[in-house]
Amino acid sequence: MIALLKLSPVFLLAGLMIGSNIGNLGLDILVIAPIVTIYAAIIAYITEKMKFNEIVDTMVENVKGLQLVFFILMFAYAMAEIFMATGVGASIINISLKLGLTARTIGVTTFIVTAILSIATGTSWGTFAATAPIFLWLNHIVGGNILLTLGAIAGGSCFGDNIGLISDTTVISSGIQKVDVIDRIRHQGVWSILCLIFSAFLFFVFSFNLPSIVGSASDAINEIPQEVWNNLMQEKPVAVELLNQVKEGVPFYMITPLLLVLILAIKGLPTIACLGVGILSSLIFGLMAGTVTSIKTFSDLIYSGFSDAGSWVIVMMMWMGAFGGIMGKIQAFNPLSNLILKMVKNVRQLMFANGLLSIIGNAALADEMAQVVTIGPIIKELTEKNIEGSKEDMYTLALRNATFSDALAVFGSQLIPWHVYVGYFIGIANTAYPLYDFQVFDIIKYNFMAIVVVVSILLLTITGLDRYIPLFKIPSEPDVKLNKENNKI
C-alpha cells in the first residue's frame, strides 16, 4: 500500500494529462505540474515524514541541475523564432520546390522538406503549422493522396524535434541523462538518417501510381481561403509570415545560417556557441536580404524566443524537475524498477526495457515532454545503479537512454491516438485544409517515419544489430555487465 501511495502522484499526473488532452478538464501542463508537485510533497510528508524545509531543498537541488538546459532552451527558442521570421525557413522550402511537384513526388518531397525545416526550427509543432497549408493545398492541385501527404508532413516535422540542435525535447532529454547534445546527435545521427532514407523510399513507392500533374508552391498558397489565413494567424502567426515569404521569395543564400550551425555542430562546437553563430549569421544575412529591417526588429525576435521559452517550457521544466526530485527522494519508482530487474538477464534486455518504459510512459501521460521529464530519471537510475562498466561505456548507455527518451516521445506520440501531439496536428490540418475531415488515425496510417523509428530502435537494441550502424552501437557483455550482487534499486 505504501508503494502504491508513493506512485500515486504519477497516476495523478497521467490522469490529469489524459483528461485534459482527450477529455473536458482543459488544464494546461503549467497548471498540472504544480498540482502534482504539491501532491508529491504531501505524499513525501505522509510516507517519509519529510519536513517542509527538506522537501523544498530536495526540489531546489534537483532543479539546479537543469540550469544549463534552461540557457540552451532560451537560445534555441530565440533561434527558432529567427529562422522562421528572417527567411531561413522559407529559403529551405523554395529551394526544394524550385522544380515544381507532381502527385508522384509530393509525398517524398514534403517529407524531406519538413525534415530539413524541422532541423532549422527545432519544432515539430511550428513546422507542421507552417508547411501544412502549402503541401495540403499543393496536394489538392496535383491530385495526390491527401493522407499520404499528411503522414509525410507529420513524420518529417518530427525529425528535427528528435535530432535538431535547438529542439527542446533533444536538449531536455540530453540534460536529464547528463550527456552533451552534440554527442547525442552524433550517437544517433547515422541511424536517424537511415530511418529518414527508408521512410522516404516508402513514400516514393506508395506514390508511384499517382498522376504526374505539375504544381507550384505559389499556386498552392493562392488557393488557401481567407478563413484559413485568419485561423492560422490566431494559431501560429509565424507560420503566416513564413507562407508569405515562400510566396514572395527570399534569396537562396538565406539558408546559410542553417548550414553554418550544422557544420559547427558536426565539428563539435559547444551547443550555445552554435546557437549564437546561428543567431548572429541570421542577422547579417537578413540585413543583406532585407528580411531584417532593423536591429530593433531583430532584437524583438530574440525577446519573443526568450519569452516563449520562459513562459512555458522553462517554467514547466522547473516544476517537473521539482516533482522528479521529490519522487526520487522517496524512492517512488523502486518497485517498478525492481520488477524490471527481476525480468532482465543482461544489459541489452535492461536497455530494451528502458525503451519500453519510455513508450509506455508516453502513452500513459499522453504528452511527450511529461514523458521525458518523468520517465527519463527512472531509466537513468536503472542504468547507473545496475550496470557496471567503464566511464566511456556508461556514457554511451546514457546516450542511448537520451535517444530512447526523445525518439520514443516525439515519434511514439505519432502512434498514440489519444496523444496531445496527434490532437494538435489534426486540428492544424483541419484548419489548413477544410475540404477534408481529418481524424486521428489519418495521422498514423502513412506515418512511415514514426513506425520505422519506434520499431527499429527497439529491435536494434534487443538484437544487438545496432553494431552494424556507425556510432550507434551500445556496449554489451563482457564490456558491461549487470550488477547481480545488488540487482535492485
Side-chain angles (χ1 to χ4, degrees):
M1 289 298 295
I2 294 297
L4 286 175
L5 190 60
K6 289 182 178 181
L7 271 177
S8 62
V10 176
F11 299 145
L12 177 63
L13 174 61
L16 292 177
M17 290 301 302
I18 293 175
S20 297
N21 292 335
I22 64 175
N24 297 317
L25 286 180
L27 295 179
D28 189 86
I29 182 64
L30 291 181
V31 176
I32 294 173
I35 291 174
V36 297
T37 302
I38 293 170
Y39 177 68
I42 296 172
I43 296 300
Y45 174 78
I46 294 173
T47 59
E48 301 293 326
K49 306 301 180 185
M50 288 179 65
K51 296 181 180 179
F52 177 76
N53 288 341
E54 186 181 0
I55 294 174
V56 172
D57 289 343
T58 298
M59 295 165 59
V60 172
E61 193 62 32
N62 208 51
V63 173
K64 281 182 181 178
L66 299 172
Q67 288 178 345
L68 178 60
V69 175
F70 295 156
F71 278 104
I72 293 175
L73 281 171
M74 286 192 295
F75 277 93
Y77 267 66
M79 196 172 90
E81 191 80 11
I82 288 167
F83 275 13
M84 291 281 278
T86 61
V88 177
S91 68
I92 294 170
I93 295 175
N94 284 338
I95 290 173
S96 304
L97 304 184
K98 188 66 176 176
L99 299 177
L101 291 177
T102 69
R104 294 179 184 177
T105 60
I106 188 171
V108 65
T109 304
T110 296
F111 178 62
I112 298 299
V113 171
T114 52
I116 296 173
L117 185 60
S118 66
I119 293 175
T121 61
T123 166
S124 54
W125 293 39
T127 299
F128 191 95
T131 57
I134 298 175
F135 290 113
L136 291 179
W137 283 98
L138 191 52
N139 180 89
H140 173 82
I141 291 173
V142 299
N145 183 325
I146 191 70
L147 297 186
L148 192 71
T149 301
L150 178 69
I153 301 170
S157 295
C158 289
F159 183 74
D161 212 358
N162 173 231
I163 198 175
L165 184 67
I166 58 177
S167 162
D168 52 4
T169 52
T170 302
V171 172
I172 293 169
S173 60
S174 300
I176 288 174
Q177 301 300 327
K178 306 297 182 186
V179 298
D180 191 84
V181 176
I182 301 297
D183 293 338
R184 152 73 190 290
I185 292 174
R186 286 174 177 165
H187 170 72
Q188 72 170 94
V190 176
W191 165 73
S192 294
I193 292 172
L194 288 174
C195 290
L196 187 78
I197 293 172
F198 185 64
S199 300
F201 172 74
L202 291 176
F203 280 113
F204 178 76
V205 169
F206 276 75
S207 304
F208 193 73
N209 293 323
L210 294 175
S212 56
I213 302 171
V214 177
S216 70
S218 180
D219 292 338
I221 293 173
N222 288 332
E223 289 276 340
I224 299 175
Q226 185 60 44
E227 180 184 357
V228 174
W229 285 105
N230 295 338
N231 290 335
L232 280 177
M233 180 60 74
Q234 293 180 352
E235 293 284 340
K236 204 73 177 177
V238 72
V240 174
E241 188 170 356
L242 186 143
L243 285 171
N244 286 325
Q245 289 177 348
V246 169
K247 183 179 179 180
E248 296 168 4
V250 296
F252 289 159
Y253 60 72
M254 280 308 302
I255 199 174
T256 306
L258 171 62
L259 298 178
L260 288 175
V261 170
L262 294 178
I263 292 170
L264 294 175
I266 292 172
K267 287 186 171 293
L269 200 70
T271 304
I272 289 184
C274 292
L275 299 175
V277 169
I279 292 172
L280 180 60
S281 60
S282 296
L283 171 61
I284 295 172
F285 285 98
L287 288 171
M288 292 170 53
T291 56
V292 175
T293 55
S294 68
I295 301 297
K296 173 64 167 58
T297 302
F298 190 82
S299 65
D300 287 343
L301 293 174
I302 297 177
Y303 173 80
S304 178
F306 282 3
S307 178
D308 287 346
S311 65
W312 182 76
V313 67
I314 291 179
V315 175
M316 183 275 294
M317 275 294 298
M318 291 179 69
W319 277 108
M320 294 306 295
F323 172 76
I326 297 173
M327 297 297 285
K329 187 71 173 180
I330 65 176
Q331 301 179 329
F333 302 112
N334 285 11
L336 175 62
S337 301
N338 290 330
L339 175 63
I340 292 173
L341 293 170
K342 289 179 181 179
M343 299 172 64
V344 301
K345 304 298 181 184
N346 55 49
V347 171
R348 282 199 172 273
Q349 289 181 12
L350 177 56
M351 296 303 292
F352 177 75
N354 284 348
L356 289 181
L357 270 178
S358 299
I359 192 73
I360 292 171
N362 200 14
L365 297 170
D367 183 273
E368 75 287 351
M369 191 64 75
Q371 182 271 121
V372 169
V373 299
T374 303
I375 305 299
I378 301 176
I379 62 177
K380 179 177 184 291
E381 187 177 60
L382 270 170
T383 304
E384 291 179 349
K385 291 193 174 183
N386 294 279
I387 298 178
E388 294 178 350
S390 66
K391 184 177 180 180
E392 181 181 5
D393 286 338
M394 294 303 294
Y395 188 76
T396 302
L397 294 178
L399 291 173
R400 178 57 58 86
N401 278 336
T403 305
F404 275 146
S405 189
D406 190 2
L408 296 176
V410 175
F411 288 108
S413 68
Q414 301 293 289
L415 307 178
I416 301 169
W418 57 87
H419 201 280
V420 62
Y421 237 126
V422 173
Y424 173 81
F425 279 6
I426 289 298
I428 289 292
N430 282 319
T431 296
Y433 189 75
L435 300 185
Y436 189 96
D437 183 19
F438 295 101
Q439 303 297 321
V440 291
F441 283 100
D442 294 335
I443 286 282
I444 300 172
K445 187 174 183 180
Y446 291 108
N447 202 327
F448 299 130
M449 186 67 182
I451 297 170
V452 169
V453 166
V454 171
V455 172
S456 67
I457 194 171
L458 293 174
L459 285 181
L460 290 170
T461 299
I462 191 62
T463 61
L465 293 176
D466 55 1
R467 65 183 177 273
Y468 295 113
I469 300 178
L471 305 178
F472 199 56
K473 174 187 175 183
I474 61 171
S476 54
E477 288 80 2
D479 296 327
V480 290
K481 63 179 182 179
L482 286 180
N483 185 354
K484 295 182 179 180
E485 294 181 359
N486 184 32
N487 196 18
K488 64 180 181 178
I489 293 293

